[in-house]
Amino acid sequence: MNAPLPAQTSLAAGGSCRGFDVLAVVGVPEYASTGVHLRHRSTGFEVFHLLNGDAENLFAFSFRTPDASSRGAPHILEHSVLCGSRRYPLKDPFIRMVNQSVKTYLNAVTYPDATVYPASSQVEADYFNLLSVYGDAVFFPRLERWAFRQEAHRLECDGAGRLSIQGVVYNEMKGVYSSFESVAADAAVRSLLPGTVYAGDSGGDPLEIPLLSYGDFKAFHADRYHPGNCLLFLYGNIPTETQLDFAEERFLKDFAGTPPADPVLNGDVAPFSRPVALEVPAPAGSESGCTVLVNWLLCKTADAVSHMEAVFLTEVLLGHNASPLTRALLDSGLGEDVAPACGIEADVKYTLLSAGLRGVKRQDAPLVERCVRDALEAVAAGGADSRDVAGAVMGVDFSNREIRRANGPYSLVLGRRVLRSWAHGGLPWACLSPRATFAEVKRRLSAENGYIPRLIRTLLLDNPHRSLVTAYPDAAYGAERERAEQELASRLAAGTTPDAIRAEQAELTRFQQSADDEKAAASLPHLSPKDLPTGIDRIETTAFLADKGVPVFRNREHTNGISYIVAGFPVDALPPEDFPLLPLFADALTNCGFGGKDWAECGAEIAATAGGFGASLFASSLPEPVPPDAFMLPEAAMRPLLGRSWLFVHVKMLNEKTGEALGLLADCLASARFSDLKRLTDLTLEARNDTRASVIPAGNEYAASRAACSFSVPKAIDEIWHGAAQLFTLERLAAGDMGGTAAAFDRFRETLRASGAVLHITADDEGLALCEKSLAGFISRCGLAAPAGDFAAAPDGAARNRDAFFRLCALPWKQDSGGDSGTELCLAPSSQVGFACRSLAASAYGTAESVHEAVFAHWFSNTLLWEQIRTIGGAYGAFALPDAVEGVFSLATYRDPKPFRSLGAFAECLEKAAAFPFDRETAERAITGAYSREVQPRSPSSRGFQGFIRALYGLTERAREERIARILSVREEDLRNAARRLWERCGERYAQVVIAGAEDAGATRVAELPL
């Protein structure tokens, strides 16, 4: 987000505008904005506009949709309203807009008590196109029976007469219920809120979704989707009056004469008189124990100060591994590591807090609760350590100041803050100014002796609204749910026949495959490529040589007083056999102690000084040839940097903390120690458990990594570092000799320091000046030098030991039929859904063909692939993923009930695409959508880091501009040729991977994932 400029409005509280009463006009100085709150006089429809100078405008329709059942009506409606509406009677106008809009964000989200439809764009005409489609969808959806059967549930019967239940939401939620930690986290929330809408699952339990009737589904929309139950959040520079005119003309006038609906608000929970305890079964894999969570209800989230007190107290107790409660849990020996669900939950009406462990023996759950209570008593009795308090203040201050962009604009963060109060009957701006709110908390901290002990006693120790939840791995969990599903399918099939079920399914499939009416398709608004700017928002990266010739890259950005520093070390100085250990080394480097201090002392010091401190790994190919303008430094200094694999050690801090934070980074780089073998063991178990827990939620990424790992050395390295291969590495390390691991890490540290370093700074003017002033001392203190040699041009450069890297990707196969092609199956026994990927060769980066394939991929993902995999197949997602730099084009599915079927569907869809009659209009819409991906805004820190990465891999801003120009000039024959080219390659060299819970005879290699 660029810095918003102050905005003025002529509207005033007590006035009126376009049929709206102006309820309030408030200044929001934290965001240089004016908040305008209005209510439509005849319907009760409310609007809150955060008006400022930002050209990236966002809207979000929010409906209060509490539902005490677990039949998933809110979630199913979130999908189904986007399946055609009054003005746009198409099967899927939403996905068509994905294909032909220059949106910066487009989504729909089901929360536990609300459903939100947000979208944003930097182009005003495109913004109103999106507003038109979304507004028509939510207020005037067709909600036809086919959409209910597609998105919610339906019966299917295969050739052998086996019944199954299918549906997009149904299969999505089967994926959620396959994740051990998701089940544990959901149980923690529900345990505190019995008798409320939160006791059910708004997403839907797969064993209850088929009980939702079509009539109840339509009635839920009629009850909840009235303008009087809608809150519209607006952000950006388009005048409020213009948007009110649009809403009145397109939506609200049709509700004239309809009595305003009473807002659907959520009831309060009855306070507990005593704590509760419960045990819940969860899907079993390789878990070595239970997840045990102690949970509290603290306050209402709409109470801004009380909520901020809870956030601050959580940061004091759990902010990092050396915080008192986290440390007590880790030192207890009762579990393997801290449970992922630890921390604050604020997406419901109440602020909830959880603390606990995973890997706990079931009988030790009460001991975990006692450990938590003893740790809290100790802090309440002795007071919080000043370092813990300073770290918590820094953490909250930093979080409130940093401009973040996580898969969408920063305005989404602001929208969630607005809804925290507004959706529960409060004022829209009540929770919108966290810096001002935290100032009040800091005032209380300063003024009141014993403030933190009082909070601990009031909110935690003396609070009876508490639960102890034990999620235990149940070996029968999956089988019992499968049996219950089959029984439910049999009950639903009573009174019909297999032939009738097949006939209904065939009818639905025919409809899904039928073309939309041409007139209806033409009604969907879109921009033409000629309306799109050909320029780009250039990232201006500069470079210079500091002391000892160390290269320094820098980006000047509006960072809100925060500086971001990166020290990069080329890890290809190490042999390939060391690469599997590097992810754990990166984690341990900043978490095992340095400067003569142990990990806990360093953790406390880091928390009080920096907003973030860690390390990461990065590898990519170098496009050839490297353009002359890629050399930001003298060639002799630049050549040793190009095309390397890197370890990046990074720190971010408030500008005023620059000297202290750089001192910590220098101490870490110069003297990190790995001799604390217990700490190293704890980090290993945590990394293994986190990786295990990530496979089911992100199975598409794991499948894509494995399918692509044979196409280039960087893809192989990525699999070694982040794929299924790393999971097996962590299993081996967790069972091995930590002394040997520590010795290897000592060697890595010394080798990497000797290999030379590169530095990067992203900051505003003040931050750049402070950082550059400190560079000489920092370089000397670390003992840094410049990387040497011409790595990219050397015979043993980026592709050295190619075969060794490919061998390191191999999994421990329990079945291997041999051969280079075929299908790999990674068994994930607890998963009720699967993930499939097929990778094939792509055209080289920098060629016109690679651009044509990127535009084709965008079109293909949102048309043929979407229709066959998601609409008909019932998978939650389908993707075409071009990577020209690595020369690979991948097709993948997400939460797929039939992943082996999808492997065949990939080829079928490419064959259809090769014969598709592309015309100019199709090409223009595909161009618009692909263009959108290339011009996505970034946060200041992301812009800076992206500029740094481009510098290290020879990707220039001029090349980006040329790419945009090529995208805008794509013709229909270019898409036709790209489709034919990829179809031909589909039958040549390819790799296929499935992650699923059951074996298939078609697999060439089979490995069982240790989940």
Side-chain angles (χ1 to χ4, degrees):
M1 180 186 78
N2 295 323
L5 300 173
Q8 299 294 323
T9 178
S10 60
L11 300 175
S16 63
C17 178
R18 296 0 184 228
F20 285 79
D21 293 324
V22 182
L23 303 181
V25 177
V26 296
V28 189
E30 282 191 27
Y31 310 111
S33 300
T34 299
V36 185
H37 184 201
L38 310 103
R39 181 184 293 122
H40 192 241
R41 197 172 299 117
S42 64
T43 66
F45 178 68
E46 286 192 46
V47 175
F48 182 69
H49 188 186
L50 204 56
L51 180 66
N52 52 51
D54 197 338
E56 187 180 12
N57 287 271
L58 173 136
F59 65 81
F61 291 97
S62 301
F63 295 88
R64 301 177 180 97
T65 53
D67 182 15
S69 82
S70 293
R71 297 183 178 184
H75 190 186
I76 293 163
L77 269 169
E78 175 226 306
H79 285 238
S80 302
V81 300
L82 302 172
C83 292
S85 62
R86 181 185 65 179
R87 185 183 288 268
Y88 308 110
L90 303 161
K91 288 184 295 182
D92 207 335
F94 169 78
I95 200 64
R96 282 178 176 262
M97 289 305 290
V98 170
N99 196 43
Q100 64 190 46
S101 165
V102 291
K103 82 291 177 192
T104 57
Y105 188 76
L106 188 66
N107 205 354
V109 185
T110 301
Y111 290 101
D113 58 10
T115 309
V116 183
Y117 299 86
S120 60
S121 179
Q122 298 179 99
V123 178
E124 184 170 326
D126 187 58
Y127 172 86
F128 280 110
N129 289 346
L130 294 168
L131 184 58
S132 176
V133 172
Y134 261 45
D136 205 63
V138 296
F139 290 123
F140 311 112
R142 292 161 69 94
L143 298 183
E144 295 182 277
R145 187 176 290 274
W146 69 263
F148 178 74
R149 296 185 66 233
Q150 173 181 287
E151 301 297 328
H153 61 84
R154 63 181 181 272
L155 281 175
E156 289 192 2
C157 185
D158 65 15
R162 288 187 294 265
L163 289 170
S164 67
I165 302 172
Q166 297 296 332
V168 173
V169 170
Y170 180 80
N171 288 317
E172 178 189 353
M173 296 310 297
K174 286 184 76 172
V176 172
Y177 279 72
S178 296
S179 168
F180 185 95
E181 296 302 340
S182 291
V183 171
D186 287 347
V189 172
R190 294 184 199 184
S191 70
L192 294 171
L193 301 167
T196 72
V197 296
Y198 307 114
D201 187 342
S202 63
D205 182 334
L207 297 183
E208 295 193 38
I209 288 172
L211 303 178
L212 181 70
S213 72
Y214 179 56
D216 289 343
F217 158 78
K218 294 191 73 172
F220 194 92
H221 181 271
D223 183 52
R224 299 296 205 274
Y225 279 66
H226 185 282
N229 192 46
C230 182
L231 308 171
L232 177 61
F233 172 68
L234 304 173
Y235 171 94
N237 67 359
I238 298 175
T240 307
E241 296 87 340
T242 303
Q243 305 207 55
L244 298 182
D245 281 340
F246 192 90
E248 174 66 31
E249 173 60 27
R250 289 299 179 94
F251 321 125
L252 299 178
K253 70 177 184 181
D254 293 272
F255 291 90
T258 305
D262 292 327
V264 180
L265 298 178
N266 306 321
D268 293 337
V269 64
F272 287 7
S273 59
R274 61 174 61 88
V276 299
L278 69 154
E279 295 185 332
V280 295
S286 298
E287 288 86 9
S288 52
C290 305
T291 289
V292 178
L293 293 165
V294 184
N295 315 284
W296 296 265
L297 186 152
L298 305 182
C299 61
K300 290 185 177 180
T301 56
D303 182 337
V305 174
S306 295
H307 175 75
M308 186 60 74
E309 285 184 322
V311 169
F312 173 60
L313 182 61
T314 301
E315 193 70 20
V316 170
L317 297 172
L318 292 165
H320 54 91
N321 280 350
S323 296
L325 182 50
T326 308
R327 180 77 183 270
L329 287 165
L330 291 173
D331 287 350
S332 70
L334 294 169
E336 292 182 342
D337 65 320
V338 172
C342 285
I344 287 281
E345 164 62 51
D347 277 337
V348 295
K349 187 173 185 175
Y350 298 91
T351 301
L352 313 177
L353 172 62
S354 296
L357 291 165
R358 61 180 167 186
V360 179
K361 294 177 182 177
R362 191 168 176 180
Q363 66 270 22
D364 287 347
L367 299 181
V368 174
E369 184 176 34
R370 185 185 305 167
C371 172
V372 169
R373 193 162 188 86
D374 288 348
L376 295 176
E377 288 281 8
V379 179
D385 187 286
S386 59
R387 293 182 307 174
D388 294 328
V389 176
V393 170
M394 167 60 68
V396 178
D397 267 337
F398 193 93
S399 176
N400 289 339
R401 187 185 295 190
E402 187 175 27
I403 299 170
R404 302 179 303 280
R405 191 182 185 96
N407 301 316
Y410 185 56
S411 52
L412 280 174
V413 175
L414 306 184
R416 288 181 69 177
R417 289 175 183 165
V418 165
L419 286 175
R420 187 182 299 159
S421 170
W422 199 17
H424 300 113
L427 296 171
W429 59 89
C431 299
L432 190 52
S433 300
R435 290 171 71 177
T437 304
F438 191 48
E440 169 59 19
V441 173
K442 288 189 286 188
R443 186 196 65 76
R444 294 181 183 185
L445 175 66
S446 175
E448 181 182 338
N449 237 349
Y451 177 62
I452 291 173
R454 178 178 67 77
L455 288 180
I456 291 174
R457 293 222 167 267
T458 303
L459 296 179
L460 304 176
L461 289 171
D462 298 337
N463 180 1
H465 206 121
R466 185 176 81 243
S467 69
L468 174 66
V469 171
T470 303
Y472 62 91
D474 183 356
Y477 179 92
E480 288 180 0
R481 289 188 72 87
E482 178 67 26
R483 177 187 52 77
E485 178 184 336
Q486 287 301 312
E487 289 180 358
L488 183 55
S490 297
R491 291 204 307 271
L492 294 172
T496 188
T497 65
D499 285 345
I501 293 170
R502 293 189 191 103
E504 281 194 1
Q505 180 56 26
E507 180 185 359
L508 176 60
T509 301
R510 279 194 298 272
F511 177 80
Q512 290 167 329
Q513 292 178 320
S514 65
D516 281 314
D517 176 77
E518 289 186 12
K519 183 177 179 181
S523 70
L524 203 65
H526 71 285
L527 302 180
S528 168
K530 68 179 183 333
D531 299 323
L532 306 175
T534 57
I536 60 171
D537 182 13
R538 294 176 67 95
I539 299 176
E540 300 295 343
T541 305
T542 59
F544 65 95
L545 297 178
D547 283 35
K548 300 184 181 179
V550 173
V552 180
F553 294 83
R554 58 189 170 186
N555 290 86
R556 180 176 282 101
E557 296 285 344
H558 169 74
T559 58
N560 219 12
I562 294 173
S563 294
Y564 302 82
I565 308 291
V566 176
F569 300 86
V571 294
D572 38 50
L574 297 167
E577 55 266 24
D578 287 337
F579 272 53
L581 277 66
L582 284 172
L584 184 60
F585 171 74
D587 190 19
L589 181 66
T590 58
N591 284 291
C592 278
F594 49 80
K597 302 167 188 172
D598 67 18
W599 68 269
E601 292 176 289
C602 289
E605 197 170 347
I606 289 167
T609 306
F613 193 83
S616 60
L617 296 160
F618 191 91
S620 177
S621 292
L622 182 69
E624 293 290 351
V626 179
D629 55 338
F631 289 82
M632 298 183 181
L633 296 168
E635 188 164 344
M638 195 74 195
R639 280 287 179 190
L641 310 180
L642 294 173
R644 311 291 294 266
S645 298
W646 295 93
L647 169 74
F648 294 129
V649 188
H650 41 84
V651 61
K652 55 185 179 180
M653 62 278 186
L654 302 178
N655 287 348
E656 55 266 32
K657 293 283 188 177
T658 296
E660 296 168 70
L662 281 176
L664 287 176
L665 180 59
D667 285 347
C668 175
L669 297 177
S671 61
R673 49 189 263 187
F674 307 100
S675 56
D676 184 343
L677 300 189
K678 181 185 183 304
R679 177 61 175 161
L680 202 53
T681 299
D682 289 344
L683 291 173
T684 304
L685 291 174
E686 182 180 353
R688 183 201 64 185
N689 294 342
D690 284 345
T691 305
R692 278 179 178 175
S694 69
V695 171
I696 300 304
N700 57 314
E701 296 175 15
Y702 281 89
S705 176
R706 282 220 59 77
C709 69
S710 64
F711 282 81
S712 73
V713 168
K715 283 294 185 186
I717 291 172
D718 193 62
E719 167 65 15
I720 292 165
W721 285 344
H722 306 118
Q726 178 62 200
L727 177 57
F728 285 99
T729 295
L730 290 168
E731 290 289 336
R732 175 173 57 81
L733 292 174
D737 172 24
M738 281 297 136
T741 301
F745 286 2
D746 284 330
R747 174 171 57 83
F748 292 178
R749 181 195 59 215
E750 293 308 312
T751 301
L752 293 178
R753 283 182 64 208
S755 70
V758 60
L759 301 177
H760 177 250
I761 308 166
T762 301
D764 53 22
D765 287 334
E766 178 191 38
L768 285 172
L770 288 168
C771 289
E772 290 173 20
K773 182 180 178 181
S774 304
L775 280 181
F778 173 75
I779 291 169
S780 175
R781 189 169 170 179
C782 297
L784 299 184
D790 188 346
F791 181 83
D796 63 345
R800 74 182 173 93
N801 297 316
R802 180 184 185 92
D803 291 342
F805 283 119
F806 290 156
R807 283 196 302 272
L808 288 166
C809 289
L811 303 183
W813 308 113
K814 60 180 257 186
Q815 170 193 319
D816 188 349
S817 304
D820 293 330
S821 60
T823 302
E824 284 186 12
L825 168 60
C826 297
L827 275 171
S830 65
S831 182
Q832 300 176 56
V833 290
F835 310 87
C837 183
R838 182 168 187 158
S839 293
L840 48 137
S843 297
Y845 179 84
T847 64
E849 288 79 8
S850 71
V851 173
H852 302 162
E853 288 167 17
V855 177
F856 168 78
H858 185 79
W859 173 85
F860 189 57
S861 291
N862 301 314
T863 52
L864 299 178
L865 201 62
W866 179 272
E867 177 185 282
Q868 191 61 228
I869 301 293
R870 189 186 190 279
T871 303
I872 297 174
Y876 184 58
F879 320 95
L881 308 166
D883 187 344
V885 172
E886 304 302 338
V888 60
F889 188 100
S890 297
L891 305 167
T893 68
Y894 182 62
R895 289 182 177 168
D896 188 346
K898 304 170 185 175
F900 287 96
R901 171 195 175 277
S902 294
L903 293 178
F906 292 148
E908 292 171 10
C909 289
L910 277 176
E911 185 176 16
K912 287 182 180 179
F916 189 83
F918 289 97
D919 56 22
R920 187 60 204 155
E921 185 174 359
T922 301
E924 287 190 351
R925 294 183 183 222
I927 288 167
T928 303
Y931 171 93
S932 170
R933 287 188 177 184
E934 299 292 328
V935 297
Q936 290 292 300
R938 295 178 179 272
S939 67
S941 60
S942 177
R943 280 174 55 84
F945 188 71
Q946 191 65 37
F948 176 45
I949 291 296
R950 288 172 181 162
L952 294 179
Y953 292 95
L955 303 171
T956 66
E957 296 301 283
R958 179 180 57 80
R960 288 183 62 220
E961 289 174 337
E962 290 175 355
R963 181 175 174 83
I964 291 290
R966 278 178 164 166
I967 287 173
L968 294 175
S969 64
V970 166
R971 299 165 299 175
E972 50 267 40
E973 55 264 37
D974 297 327
L975 296 179
R976 191 178 304 118
N977 291 336
R980 290 171 179 169
R981 189 164 55 247
L982 291 166
W983 161 237
E984 289 170 1
R985 292 174 184 165
C986 189
E988 298 169 355
R989 182 195 167 204
Y990 65 88
Q992 294 190 149
V993 174
V994 167
I995 297 176
E999 296 200 40
D1000 185 273
T1004 305
R1005 297 184 181 90
V1006 179
E1008 184 162 351
L1009 299 177
L1011 303 181

